[in-house]
Amino acid sequence: MSDDLRFTEIEHKFVVGDDFDPTSLAEALEPLQPTRTNALQVRDRYFLTEAGRRGRFIIRHRYDPELHHLTLKSLAEDTQVRAEINLDLGHHAGDQAAAVDAFVDRLAVTWSGVIHKNLTVWYFPDVEVAHYRASTGTRSVQCVEFEATRKRSLAGALRAVRRYERLTGFRNAPRSHRSLPQILFPEIAAALEETAVRSAAEDP
């Protein structure tokens, strides 16, 4: 992975309807011989801070059987390419939710929310393909994501993502340009829009 893309997420997200059959996705992916497949439940806690509103980024705390990360993700106009910086908290101390809360509280949190996912992931040498249903308790959405994991160049990473889209029938499907928190929490999009308007008004 090149240094330029070390802290960059390259991904395409597709929102699918309730009638989507994940079995068809699995049947398309299994002949491609994934290195492994995993199904798990994920809890993501999101925090928007004063600095995040101005700089258009959100902080995520993820704790599940595979990962324990504190992550900064940019809230770009298009999620195809965006900043993603992960700090690995490890599993040795268990869920460190209290420490994370104390940490982010010092950063002037203006909003927080939780998303739960039922997730299946197919791992390949160059791409991870995920299908999940995400829920806030009041809103839910079902998505399929293709994320590049081999990122020697942006062009190469996007070619790999598009290859798996083509092989699974998503080549011509419209993809989402918004992040999952923006989809499930309209107040996040509203807060960012308000900040953008205020910044434009203050710009001499």
Side-chain angles (χ1 to χ4, degrees), residues 8 10-11 126-128 146-151 157-158 160-161:
T8 302
I10 302 168
E11 171 190 277
D126 51 353
V127 166
E128 290 179 5
F146 301 83
E147 180 179 353
T149 53
R150 180 183 295 160
K151 296 176 281 189
L158 288 173
V161 165

Side-chain angles (χ1 to χ4, degrees), residues 101-127:
D101 287 345
F103 183 90
V104 298
D105 279 348
R106 298 299 182 98
L107 304 178
V109 173
T110 61
W111 173 91
S112 64
V114 180
I115 294 175
H116 294 275
K117 292 180 183 176
N118 288 319
L119 178 73
T120 302
V121 188
W122 292 264
Y123 300 87
F124 296 92
D126 51 353
V127 166

